[in-house]
Amino acid sequence: MELTGAEIIIECLKAEGVDYVFGYPGGAVLHIYDAFYKQDDVQHILVRHEQGATHAADGYARATGKPGVVLVTSGPGATNAVTGIATAYMDSIPMIVITGQVPKHLIGNDAFQEVDAVGITRPIVKHNFLIKDVRDIATTFKKAFYVATTGRPGPVVIDIPKDITAERVEFEYPSIIEMRSYNPTFKGHTGQIKRAVDLILSAERPMLYTGGGVILGDAAEQLRTLTRKLGYPITQTLMGLGAFPASDPLSLGMLGMHGTYEANMGMHHSDVLIAIGARFDDRVTGSLEKFCPYAKIIHIDVDPSSISKNVKVDIPIVGQVAPILDAINNLLDSTAKQPNKTAIKNWWQQINEWRAKDCLNYDRNSDIIKPQFVVEELFKATNGEAIITSDVGQHQMFAAQYYGFDRPRQWINSGGLGTMGFGLPAAMGAQLAYPNEMVACITGESSIQMCIQELSTCRQYGLPLKIINLNNGYMGMVRQWQEFFYEKRYAMSYFDALPDFVVLAESYGHAGIKVEKPEDVRPALDEAFKQKDRLVFLDFIVDPEENVYPMIPAGAGLNEMILV
């Protein structure tokens, strides 16, 4: 059966089990949009900006583990998608981005709405393709989905000239694909795993340090088994929250720049560090020269280029996290050797002394709404069960510190790139993935305005998100750094002309609630979540001078925190 290139694209998406494509039409992709019109199997979500499309697909991917799919036109459509592609790339999120291109004979002629999408995106994708023959579409899509979802996941761009989408050819989708240049490692080296187990059992001050790779590798169950089997303390990165329950007493919370005192001190003083699916980024390590000075380090990661990239490790294990943790758990079950119970007991005694500092305490008797209080009340109002997205800034850190995530894929935020504007469209993707779940976006008055036009998308598709706007009138994290390190010279961090967010939300057809007193926080949240079929924008007027603590200044070690 002969199909047009556009029809083949739709058939490829069907074959890959794609439910939603997030996109925005334009001239170069009109044949593809016409093919969408003729079918009902794959639903297209019309966003209001291409950046919103990429973040929505990203949120969908993080919530489900399935690749998000984006469709944009050539030129500005492709360039508008760049921020979202980079966001997904930094956090290793599987995504397929289909970009339209001018017809083949016009490529290189500076044609209307022509950009070199392959060249522009090369540094921020796992791979990209420019299709030059309609016969290559099916194979290219099969390769793209394979590359995006295996090994260390990431975004893949497929650039398709318009004329190719109109040409016809017989369609057959490959059942399997082989790529000589791409062979990700799945199982870890047996000898290295045995060495790791011996070191783990010899530890006197062990720490488990886990990151987003545990979630991306669907290894939360194996991690929980390992941690409870050993009885060792565990800390998680911003991207790893939820893989191990925050409510478990073995959890020390998040580590790093705004991590807990007990987690950072535990890291600094550990003698064996078991790093799983984490990349030792600068917000976690602080000063590399001062990082974990007493520890031998085991590093489990699917990406060999991450091993010893920032921190030299003693026992590297390359492969998928889940099967490697299964192998470690099996070895622990079969060996007669046991951890040093006396040493571990003493270690926990020290950790609990650090824990007693209660580094996340704040003024709960304030007459002004504290942002931490809003997050705590949100946790109570949702029984800790909501899917939470966030934008980037102080509110992101407050969400990470105070919500308490107990399951993977419950916490969705831009970690590596730190993209303001991510939260709302990401929440759209998560809500579409789980229409019956509570989804809340914790944001700030600066971040929400980056992609606020997506309130229109929410209206069109009836997405009942709850937006928790922690409105302090500043770019809060910028203001905090200016307070600490720039002698309170608040250059351009203050907003003099904020909109009335309640009226703005209502203009899009949603409900809005403004909250100015602490005693009104919980009633407002309860009222919002009663409205199960409607988006509610809650504008909380919070303390403009509240800071995120603990904080590790740039160039300091994990044991050099500012606590108040």
Side-chain angles (χ1 to χ4, degrees):
M1 180 175 62
E2 283 197 347
L3 300 175
T4 67
E7 291 167 338
I8 289 171
I9 291 169
I10 302 299
E11 292 302 317
C12 292
L13 298 177
K14 289 181 187 178
E16 292 292 340
V18 173
D19 297 314
Y20 295 103
V21 171
F22 301 88
Y24 201 91
V29 289
L30 284 183
H31 293 316
I32 303 174
Y33 273 88
D34 193 50
F36 264 109
Y37 186 83
K38 298 173 184 176
Q39 59 85 49
D40 297 315
D41 295 310
V42 182
Q43 185 177 356
H44 181 277
I45 304 298
L46 177 64
V47 297
R48 300 305 186 262
H49 190 286
E50 290 90 351
Q51 183 176 344
T54 51
H55 292 332
D58 186 327
Y60 176 87
R62 295 184 201 232
T64 63
K66 298 170 62 177
V69 181
V70 177
L71 173 60
V72 298
T73 193
S74 62
T79 57
N80 281 347
V82 163
T83 297
I85 296 170
T87 300
Y89 179 72
M90 288 289 283
D91 290 343
S92 304
I93 304 304
M95 200 156 74
I96 305 295
V97 182
I98 306 164
T99 58
Q101 185 54 275
V102 299
K104 292 195 303 293
H105 69 280
L106 292 178
I107 293 176
N109 287 1
D110 293 331
F112 177 66
Q113 291 192 335
E114 179 194 359
V115 299
D116 179 7
V118 169
I120 288 171
T121 61
R122 185 173 287 118
I124 53 167
V125 294
K126 190 173 179 186
H127 196 61
N128 55 22
F129 299 90
L130 171 61
I131 298 180
K132 297 180 180 180
D133 190 319
V134 67
R135 292 169 293 185
D136 295 334
I137 291 177
T139 301
T140 301
F141 268 76
K142 185 70 174 181
K143 288 179 179 179
F145 275 89
Y146 177 63
V147 170
T149 57
T150 56
R152 181 176 182 173
V156 175
V157 166
I158 307 174
D159 198 35
I160 309 179
K162 183 176 182 178
D163 54 327
I164 286 177
T165 61
E167 295 172 2
R168 306 185 75 89
V169 71
E170 287 192 3
F171 168 70
E172 182 179 354
Y173 198 62
S175 57
I176 58 172
I177 202 77
E178 290 185 4
M179 301 174 67
R180 287 198 308 172
S181 60
Y182 178 69
N183 292 291
T185 302
F186 289 93
K187 293 184 178 181
H189 188 278
T190 303
Q192 293 294 84
I193 292 172
K194 288 179 179 178
R195 288 182 61 209
V197 169
D198 286 341
L199 183 57
I200 289 168
L201 292 175
S202 69
E204 296 186 352
R205 301 186 308 278
M207 282 289 293
L208 285 150
Y209 150 52
T210 65
V214 176
I215 294 171
L216 294 168
D218 292 321
E221 182 180 347
Q222 289 89 341
L223 175 66
R224 294 173 188 211
T225 299
L226 173 66
T227 307
R228 289 166 179 159
K229 191 188 299 287
L230 293 168
Y232 289 176
I234 180 171
T235 181
Q236 296 173 289
T237 68
L238 179 71
M239 300 306 302
L241 296 176
F244 190 83
S247 59
D248 192 296
L250 296 175
S251 174
L252 305 190
M254 185 174 69
L255 80 160
M257 178 172 282
H258 296 294
T260 66
Y261 184 72
E262 54 268 29
N264 286 336
M265 292 297 283
M267 289 285 290
H268 182 78
H269 291 280
S270 64
D271 69 340
V272 173
L273 181 62
I274 308 147
I276 306 171
R279 59 188 179 90
F280 295 89
D281 71 282
D282 61 294
R283 290 297 173 104
V284 161
T285 62
S287 168
L288 288 173
E289 292 74 21
K290 301 174 183 178
F291 180 73
C292 295
Y294 315 110
K296 290 189 178 296
I297 301 175
I298 300 162
H299 189 188
I300 301 168
D301 203 289
V302 74
D303 181 6
S305 71
S306 288
I307 303 288
S308 292
K309 182 163 106 175
N310 297 328
V311 173
K312 189 177 187 307
V313 303
D314 298 280
I315 302 178
I317 306 174
V318 177
Q320 293 283 352
V321 172
I324 290 172
L325 292 188
D326 277 332
I328 290 174
N329 284 326
N330 290 336
L331 275 176
L332 288 171
D333 286 338
S334 62
T335 184
K337 187 176 179 180
Q338 295 295 314
N340 184 331
K341 292 183 178 179
T342 301
I344 301 303
K345 181 180 178 181
N346 292 338
W347 180 227
W348 270 111
Q349 183 177 344
Q350 174 62 78
I351 287 171
N352 287 330
E353 288 178 14
W354 291 326
R355 201 178 236 168
K357 282 188 175 289
D358 195 11
C359 66
L360 298 182
N361 193 24
Y362 64 93
D363 182 7
R364 288 178 166 83
N365 298 313
S366 173
D367 293 332
I368 307 173
I369 298 175
K370 295 290 186 179
Q372 304 96 316
F373 177 70
V374 177
V375 177
E376 287 184 331
E377 291 301 300
L378 175 64
F379 178 87
K380 295 173 185 175
T382 59
N383 295 316
E385 296 174 355
I387 295 171
I388 303 293
T389 72
S390 85
D391 275 295
V392 170
Q394 285 184 324
H395 60 269
Q396 177 190 26
M397 294 300 105
F398 290 134
Q401 290 174 329
Y402 292 92
Y403 193 84
F405 300 97
D406 272 358
R407 70 178 195 271
R409 305 193 183 279
Q410 185 186 5
W411 166 235
I412 295 171
N413 79 117
S414 168
L417 197 64
T419 307
M420 294 171 68
F422 174 84
L424 173 56
M428 290 168 17
Q431 189 76 81
L432 283 162
Y434 298 106
N436 298 320
E437 295 278 341
M438 294 178 288
V439 179
C441 169
I442 298 177
T443 185
E445 77 293 329
S446 306
S447 285
I448 191 63
Q449 294 188 85
M450 293 270 185
C451 285
I452 202 164
Q453 71 281 346
E454 299 307 329
L455 286 174
S456 178
T457 308
C458 294
R459 175 66 173 169
Q460 179 172 345
Y461 296 98
L463 303 178
L465 311 176
K466 306 300 178 273
I467 298 175
I468 313 300
N469 188 38
L470 302 182
N471 186 345
N472 62 10
Y474 284 94
M475 284 183 274
M477 192 61 83
V478 172
R479 184 208 58 77
Q480 179 169 335
W481 277 64
Q482 289 171 333
E483 176 187 335
F484 286 7
F485 309 118
Y486 296 88
E487 299 177 343
K488 299 186 178 181
R489 293 187 294 274
Y490 298 128
M492 311 311 156
S493 58
Y494 181 73
F495 276 77
D496 290 313
L498 288 173
D500 184 327
F501 286 107
V502 170
V503 174
L504 183 59
E506 290 173 345
S507 75
Y508 279 103
H510 305 303
I513 302 173
K514 187 175 185 177
V515 188
E516 299 182 89
K517 297 178 181 178
E519 59 267 26
D520 295 333
V521 169
R522 180 60 185 271
L525 288 166
D526 288 341
E527 173 60 30
F529 281 97
K530 282 179 185 175
Q531 301 190 48
K532 298 185 182 300
D533 298 322
R534 194 174 189 191
L535 185 149
V536 182
F537 193 116
L538 297 114
D539 188 23
F540 293 97
I541 309 304
V542 301
D543 188 344
E545 297 183 350
E546 190 68 12
N547 291 322
V548 181
Y549 295 108
M551 181 176 180
I552 299 174
L558 291 180
N559 63 328
E560 298 173 311
M561 287 163 275
I562 301 171
L563 296 180
V564 289

